[in-house]
Amino acid sequence: MTPAGGARVSIAALRLVVRAAPGWLIAHVALTLAGALLPVAVALLTKLTLDELGGARSHGDLPVLAAALAVLGLLATALPELDQYVRAEQERTAALVAQEQLFLAVDRIVGLRPFEDPRFLDRLRLAQQSGGNTPSGLVDGWLSIARGVLTAAGFLGALLVLSPVMTGIIVASMVPALIAERALARRRAAMIWANSPTERREMLYGFLLVDARAAQEVRLFGIGAFLRGRMLAARRVTDSEHRRQDRRELRYQSGLGLLSAMVAGGGLVFAIFGAKAGTLTIGDVALFVATVGGVQGALHTVVRSLARVHQERLNFEHYLGVTSAAADLPVAADAWTLAPLRNGIELRDVWFRYTPDGPWVLRGVDLVIPHGTSVALVGRNGAGKSTLVKLLCRLYDPTRGSISWDGTDIRDVDPAVLRRRIGAVFQEFVRYDLTGAENIALGDLTRIAERDALVDAARTAGVHEALAALPKGYDTLLSRSFYDEQDDEDVGGMLSGGQWQRIALARCLLRHDRDLLILDEPSSGLDAEAEHEIHDRISRLRSGRTSLLISHRLGAIRSADRIVVLDDGRITEAGSHSALLARNGSYARLFRLQAAGYRDTPVPAAPLS
Ligand code: ADP
Ligand code: MG
């Protein structure tokens, strides 16, 4: 980090804290500065008092001096306590804002790519780890430096009068400490960054060991020891890195400690001999002793705080890296509206790959989804079907080619507006640790209070009975990870995989008024009877609507207006069910194979496409 870059980062942190907690910051600064000058004032008053007692001055001021010393003593105990409270309050207030900004930035990410970028994930973790305390930490680090400098300057000013030589020696003795601490801080920051992927892996293994969904496989396959071994191995790697850094710091710090002890000892001898020779008063000796200790303490604070500032600055750089990242996908600023679909959606020569040097997943796909028709997409695992769905939702942009909505390139549309027009059940849908009603309402949060609409969606998806039978009906928490907050009772409900799939479908159905309905293998977790029934419902729902259905159960999609076969990223066949059967290509082959599976007498398996 260049000094200019470092200053920019510190200023950004200061700006955040000033905006979030101006009052608390001012109070913290005032208390810090008062705390900085307090020891100097105590040392000076002590010297004056001792000089009066030693007869170097008249006794008239003694009661005043004693009273002042008592007040300062009181302040010396009260100020740090007060400052600690004020600082904590300032930190909390700023941290809340910092966390909000961080997660706002994460929410602003348009597509999925950053979530698949390990470097971004490391950065996000480091930005998140400090719990938003980094900006305050940075400001506080600078304040400690100011405080140390102020205390040291006060003491040194007093010492300069007594002995310019000693002043010079003390200052010079701190230079190696400054240099060493800076280098140590840089190393520590580099170590933390280098350790980040290993720490994330450790967390991942730990998570698998306690995750309820992983528990059955972990037990059946007996992989607990394997995962634990990997978790601990990762921990040992980062531990040894930490140990090496700690030892390095111990070596440096012992050396530096020895140096300052020698300077302090030398100074003391010098002062005692000065007093004996009559060049210094007893008060001077007391001031001298206080100064050597005070300056060393203060400069030590400065050195330590510089290291801390360096560290926090690097943490905050990660934070800024996330909050001020350039948009991951270009978002047109001027096209904020999108008229309801009238003509259709068109993919024109769409090529796509997930990484710049990865394999092509889609290779020149031309596909029209006319308004009001149902299109079915079939193809083997890995053919690129789910990828195509993600491109339609603009979770990625095509590497080449374009997707248009009534002729408007979807890259020119606000992604949020586009997505509001789409209802989807993804192949990898999410099971939220929320109530049944909430799990459905997430499809359209504006209707969260419309219980009838939620029940309707649940009925159509065929999950109403299951939800109604739960201990608290739709308001049952669909999780065993949490207590019910209201009555502190363990009344969580567990659903089967197929029931969860229906919940996901109900969530999508709540958006049935959307222009485009996407169903990516919505029935893969269902039994044959349920599948038939769901497909019946879906096709009734789809009629007259624009929809894209992906299923490997060909019986379910034979009624689609248009069936498209995707093979290895290319469209190889397209047409109605009867047209494709007449064509006698791979669809026809696959359809006959599946149909044979339902007949009584097995026929020899035909080769797959
Ligand atoms: P389908 O839904 O037809 O089974 P997908 O569209 O899910 O296939 O996947 C198509 C290809 O893209 C597969 O080879 C898969 O490995 C790859 N793929 C899918 N998702 C990602 C991803 N996030 N990053 C990299 N490759 C991916
Ligand atoms: Mg898929």
Side-chain angles (χ1 to χ4, degrees), residues 300-363:
H300 199 69
T301 307
V302 171
V303 164
R304 273 292 162 111
S305 304
L306 275 176
R308 176 160 167 225
V309 159
H310 186 76
Q311 175 81 61
E312 297 278 19
R313 214 158 48 186
L314 290 173
N315 282 344
F316 197 58
E317 255 201 330
H318 293 307
Y319 177 94
L320 289 178
V322 176
T323 54
S324 55
D328 58 311
L329 292 178
V331 175
D334 45 352
W336 296 103
T337 55
L338 187 66
L341 189 67
R342 260 176 292 139
N343 299 319
I345 296 159
E346 184 179 2
L347 286 84
R348 206 174 300 143
D349 193 27
V350 168
W351 290 71
F352 180 77
R353 53 182 167 192
Y354 281 95
T355 49
D357 43 6
W360 288 105
V361 174
L362 296 178
R363 306 155 186 258

Side-chain angles (χ1 to χ4, degrees), residues 385-386 427 520-521:
K385 306 180 296 293
S386 297
Q427 191 169 12
D520 191 352
E521 310 218 0

Side-chain angles (χ1 to χ4, degrees), residues 116 354 361 380-387 390 396 427:
E116 295 167 347
Y354 281 95
V361 174
R380 288 185 285 186
N381 288 339
K385 306 180 296 293
S386 297
T387 303
K390 290 181 206 162
Y396 302 91
Q427 191 169 12

